[in-house]
Amino acid sequence: MIFSKAAISLVCVLLLLSVFMANLLNIIATDHNFYVENLSQSENFTRYLGEKYGKITDTSDHLIWFLQISDIHISIFRDSGRISQFQQFCDSTVKKIKPLIVLATGDLTDAKAKDNLGSSQVKTEWIYYHNIIKESGVTEHTTWLDIRGNHDNFNIRTLNSQENYFRNYSVQGGTHSKSYLHIVEHNGLSVAFLGIDACPEPGLRRPFNFIGILDAEEQIALQKLKNEAESKADHIVWFGHYPTSCILSIEHDSEKVNLRQLMGNAKGSQAYVCGHLHSMGGMVPRMYTKHKKGYLELELGDWKDNRMYRLAAIDHGIFSFVDQKHNTWPLVLVTNPKHARYLLPGREPLQLVPESSHIRILAFSDVKMESVKISFDNISWMKCKGTNEPLYTCLWLPHLFKTGLHKLYVIASDELGKETFVEHQFSLDGSLVPFEITPRIMLMLDAGAVFQALFGTLLIINVLPLVILRLQKRPPKYRRKCGRQILRRIWLLSKIDRIFYPIVLYAIYLPLGPWAIGELIDGYTGVIFAWGILIKGSYIPEPFTYMYGSVQLMFVQIPFIFVLAYCLETRLFAQNLRSYQRLVKSLPFILLLSIQILLAYFFWLEYGTVAFLFGPLRTWSVLLSMLLWYKTLTLPPELCRYLTRLNEMPS
């Protein structure tokens, strides 16, 4: 049997696609049974916790709760509500909830210029942050653990430079310049809060400050902190700004610390809480996943635009959480039974839940709570007892819910009539609610590898079709008329040396040569390459450069090939056009050139005049585009006749 080229191509594409999907699903799988793989260790640990905490009843023993806030972005140029409502959060919300700890996980200030493109530390923003915390007196009622984000690291030469205002105006900066550990022993629980500072040094101006980097020194420091946390606490809550997908560990002495492995190998690790991705502009509001090592990663929506914060609790060794919008009351968190999606077998004493005597709920409001009621059928309701406010409890019969998934409904009301309704899925036999796929992709892939793969793919798309078409002696075949015309245009374009070689050589240059030379940090000149940045005698492997280059390839270089092919057709077959008709025919190029100029202008605002002038990626590509467009429209007559003859050849 003879197969057509199209059929063989389709089979190859499907095969590659299936391999890709299989690898992707393996990477983002959350159903790895950490408990079975570490059976002996897990059983011993959970048995120890179960014996330590005893039966879950209606007392407030063995219970703590804490808050997280992230991506505050205090700014003196935009949205004054961030400051006033952050002040309200410190003055009122924290004092109403009375958490043991508040985690502020980075991007405390905005550090962006008025034009929203330039970036540098703004002392006034840090003074606002410092004064709000100090004047609210919040640190007298709770422990405030803050850590840097990438915005807090913009345009900072070294940790000791005077522009690093985190040292002087944050709560923890004066004591801890980078990653640190805070141990809490309270109410029969010992919990380690381990902060991860992955801000690179030096701190570049935006946009090349998106990926966190753990250098050799910081990796060693994290190992020591992890060992100390294991020895002193039963539970570890990791916190930082960057999700693990956006943290790069630099190899040293042929070794590097895999952060996910480090957290997963730590006895008692329950969750890593972070920010940075802003829930993708609110499009992924529940960006949560469980890693293969059996712990949770929970990205919190930003304070900047969405005014989100998180309440989390550890109740008899079992970790629970809920994310809440500011000034939305009552705030409700069910701690027993735990939500079925977030069960951590082998890391928490889940055997205590089927033996518990009471359902346990934390409920808060800005006024007095009126009632907390529960139901299993959303019809008949039972009132919870609130003798240990904010803990509300109710007797239950767990043996009625031994198998499968079940739903618990909660209605909490305060004295002003404000009401919160919660639908809470739980299971006692380990049945799980799956995590959504988009959050798993965002948190479990390696962002640097994704950026690199995207850049490489676009680079191949930019070069390979042109090379293949140039090697073809006859016009390419295609069934559809429109596609056949476009292919024929590009085929003719590939035959023009003065067009083909500049396009291909420029594409080959991008992964090899410098993209810009300029003042990447005030007072320091650096060089940007696709594979990283050289500055201050050091190499920063910032993978976001690949994403930056991908924008150029996707929105400029690849469309430019089609625009030139369209211009070539005008030159060959529409030479007698009137002036206004020529202008209309030039509109695609004018639009594309406008995009290029705009991108170059943005780059000038970000890194200054020197980087703008010595910028092959942005500025020089504008000149190259204009030159190739002019060469296409002014082809010599003999070359035009040659191309016309080629065009008349049958496919």
Side-chain angles (χ1 to χ4, degrees):
M1 177 181 274
I2 299 175
F3 295 95
S4 67
K5 290 182 180 179
I8 294 173
S9 300
L10 180 61
V11 169
C12 291
V13 169
L14 290 175
L15 182 62
L16 290 172
L17 186 61
S18 64
V19 171
F20 169 77
M21 289 303 298
N23 285 325
L24 176 63
L25 292 173
N26 181 57
I27 291 171
I28 65 171
T30 59
D31 56 356
H32 282 252
N33 201 327
F34 168 81
Y35 181 76
V36 172
E37 292 175 358
N38 303 271
L39 187 59
S40 177
Q41 180 182 341
S42 298
E43 284 184 342
N44 291 337
F45 181 62
T46 54
R47 187 186 305 115
Y48 155 74
L49 293 177
E51 292 171 354
K52 179 177 180 179
Y53 300 136
K55 190 171 183 178
I56 299 176
T57 60
D58 60 347
T59 71
S60 58
D61 295 339
H62 309 302
L63 169 66
I64 66 166
W65 59 90
F66 59 94
L67 296 179
Q68 180 196 358
I69 184 171
S70 191
D71 297 273
I72 306 168
H73 287 264
I74 288 175
S75 172
I76 61 173
F77 298 114
R78 52 191 66 84
D79 190 7
S80 59
R82 294 179 205 168
I83 298 175
S84 60
Q85 290 185 299
F86 176 60
Q87 188 165 13
Q88 187 182 36
F89 175 81
C90 294
D91 282 335
S92 178
T93 304
V94 176
K95 292 176 183 178
K96 293 290 182 184
I97 298 174
K98 298 177 182 176
L100 193 64
I101 299 283
V102 176
L103 305 175
T105 52
D107 283 1
L108 311 175
T109 65
D110 198 43
K112 288 202 290 188
K114 195 171 184 178
D115 58 26
N116 212 28
L117 290 169
S119 54
S120 190
Q121 297 304 305
V122 181
K123 188 175 182 178
T124 307
E125 294 175 350
W126 282 100
I127 292 173
Y128 270 117
Y129 175 75
H130 176 268
N131 288 346
I132 288 171
I133 293 174
K134 183 178 179 181
E135 292 169 9
S136 69
V138 68
T139 53
E140 298 171 11
H141 306 280
T142 186
T143 301
W144 190 279
L145 303 180
D146 46 18
I147 203 159
R148 297 188 303 160
N150 58 312
H151 282 248
D152 307 317
N153 192 42
F154 282 157
N155 199 30
I156 292 180
R157 288 167 286 181
T158 66
L159 279 172
N160 297 320
S161 64
Q162 64 179 19
E163 294 83 11
N164 183 15
Y165 297 122
F166 180 80
R167 292 187 309 158
N168 303 317
Y169 293 99
S170 69
V171 177
Q172 298 295 329
T175 309
H176 308 291
S177 59
K178 292 278 283 183
S179 303
Y180 63 93
L181 177 67
H182 181 82
I183 305 287
V184 170
E185 292 189 6
H186 180 79
N187 203 16
L189 289 166
S190 59
V191 184
F193 291 88
L194 205 165
I196 300 173
D197 186 331
C199 292
E201 187 179 353
L204 302 173
R205 291 187 292 198
R206 66 188 304 268
F208 300 119
N209 200 338
F210 182 79
I211 299 293
I213 296 174
L214 294 177
D215 58 22
E217 184 179 343
E218 200 62 21
Q219 290 176 44
I220 294 170
L222 283 175
Q223 285 274 18
K224 291 179 179 177
L225 292 174
K226 173 247 185 187
N227 293 338
E228 184 181 352
E230 282 184 301
S231 65
K232 294 182 178 180
D234 293 321
H235 310 284
I236 304 175
V237 176
W238 305 71
F239 67 98
H241 179 66
Y242 302 89
T244 57
S245 59
C246 297
I247 296 178
L248 175 68
S249 295
I250 298 176
E251 188 174 295
H252 64 97
D253 297 332
S254 301
E255 293 183 7
K256 67 177 178 179
V257 172
N258 183 306
L259 184 59
R260 291 171 180 165
Q261 294 284 341
L262 182 71
M263 290 192 281
N265 291 335
K267 184 183 67 175
S269 284
Q270 292 188 309
Y272 173 61
V273 298
C274 59
H276 189 50
L277 296 181
H278 295 240
S279 297
M280 299 306 291
M283 293 187 295
V284 190
R286 295 173 296 277
M287 198 177 292
Y288 319 135
T289 193
K290 183 165 71 174
H291 285 286
K292 292 179 174 62
K293 285 287 187 175
Y295 65 93
L296 297 171
E297 179 167 355
L298 311 169
E299 197 265 1
L300 172 62
D302 60 279
W303 180 268
K304 174 187 173 186
D305 297 316
N306 296 300
R307 305 295 192 268
M308 298 297 295
Y309 69 95
R310 171 174 292 150
L311 168 67
I314 298 176
D315 188 359
H316 288 73
I318 298 172
F319 177 88
S320 304
F321 74 98
V322 64
D323 292 351
Q324 186 87 342
K325 198 170 184 67
H326 178 59
N327 264 343
T328 304
W329 301 100
L331 170 62
V332 177
L333 173 61
V334 179
T335 65
N336 185 64
K338 183 177 178 176
H339 196 290
R341 177 176 285 137
Y342 311 113
L343 296 175
L344 301 175
R347 293 194 176 275
E348 50 191 9
L350 296 175
Q351 72 273 16
L352 298 181
V353 180
E355 300 170 359
S356 62
S357 60
H358 288 74
I359 287 171
R360 295 162 65 87
I361 300 168
L362 290 173
F364 306 87
S365 186
D366 56 342
V367 294
K368 186 179 178 181
M369 288 295 302
E370 187 70 27
S371 68
V372 176
K373 297 182 291 185
I374 65 165
S375 172
F376 293 102
D377 56 12
N378 209 10
I379 299 173
S380 55
W381 293 87
M382 296 175 286
K383 191 170 183 178
C384 294
K385 188 171 64 173
T387 53
N388 297 307
E389 288 189 10
L391 177 64
Y392 292 80
T393 62
C394 185
L395 282 167
W396 76 318
L397 300 172
H399 68 270
L400 298 177
F401 309 95
K402 280 186 177 179
T403 59
L405 291 168
H406 305 275
K407 288 185 179 179
L408 170 68
Y409 302 95
V410 182
I411 292 180
S413 308
D414 64 22
E415 63 180 3
L416 293 181
K418 290 177 291 188
E419 193 172 272
T420 295
F421 176 79
V422 174
E423 182 181 295
H424 181 84
Q425 282 188 290
F426 69 95
S427 70
L428 304 185
D429 64 350
S431 299
L432 297 173
V433 176
F435 287 87
E436 298 169 26
I437 191 165
T438 305
R440 287 156 56 191
I441 290 173
M442 299 301 301
L443 296 176
M444 299 182 78
L445 291 180
D446 182 336
V450 171
F451 295 159
Q452 192 171 0
L454 178 62
F455 178 75
T457 301
L458 291 172
L459 204 62
I460 290 170
I461 292 172
N462 189 76
V463 173
L464 193 60
L466 270 181
V467 173
I468 291 172
L469 288 172
R470 183 177 174 87
L471 295 175
Q472 284 189 300
K473 295 182 179 180
R474 305 182 73 83
K477 296 179 181 179
Y478 198 77
R479 291 182 181 179
R480 296 185 182 275
K481 183 178 179 181
C482 180
R484 187 167 62 250
Q485 283 185 327
I486 293 172
L487 279 175
R488 188 177 285 249
R489 289 175 188 169
I490 299 174
W491 176 68
L492 290 174
L493 188 73
S494 70
K495 301 297 183 181
I496 307 172
D497 291 350
R498 66 189 69 191
I499 305 297
F500 173 81
Y501 285 112
I503 290 175
V504 171
L505 291 175
Y506 181 75
I508 293 172
Y509 170 84
L510 289 181
L512 303 175
W515 289 0
I517 301 171
E519 199 172 55
L520 308 184
I521 302 173
D522 286 348
Y524 287 94
T525 298
V527 185
I528 302 170
F529 293 86
W531 35 267
I533 295 167
L534 299 177
I535 189 169
K536 280 187 65 183
S538 59
Y539 165 62
I540 303 176
E542 169 59 77
F544 193 73
T545 50
Y546 290 111
M547 191 64 188
Y548 204 74
S550 296
V551 171
Q552 180 77 12
L553 290 169
M554 184 180 294
F555 297 105
V556 176
Q557 298 308 127
I558 294 174
F560 183 57
I561 293 172
F562 290 93
V563 169
L564 282 184
Y566 177 74
C567 292
L568 177 63
E569 185 181 50
T570 303
R571 174 70 180 97
L572 295 178
F573 310 114
Q575 298 183 29
N576 298 320
L577 295 176
R578 296 180 180 179
S579 56
Y580 75 89
Q581 291 174 317
R582 290 186 179 277
L583 178 62
V584 171
K585 289 282 188 180
S586 299
L587 284 178
F589 174 74
I590 294 171
L591 176 62
L592 190 63
L593 188 66
S594 301
I595 293 172
Q596 284 187 269
I597 293 172
L598 192 63
L599 290 173
Y601 172 67
F602 288 161
F603 191 73
W604 173 62
L605 292 177
E606 290 161 352
Y607 288 115
T609 304
V610 174
F612 176 80
L613 294 176
F614 295 94
L617 180 70
R618 290 287 194 252
T619 311
W620 294 8
S621 71
V622 175
L623 302 176
L624 179 64
S625 297
M626 294 174 67
L627 177 64
L628 294 182
W629 176 69
Y630 175 77
K631 283 181 172 291
T632 303
L633 293 180
T634 57
L635 289 175
E638 61 274 14
L639 184 54
C640 290
R641 287 192 292 270
Y642 168 71
L643 294 172
T644 303
R645 288 196 301 271
L646 286 180
N647 185 62
E648 292 170 353
M649 292 175 62
S651 299

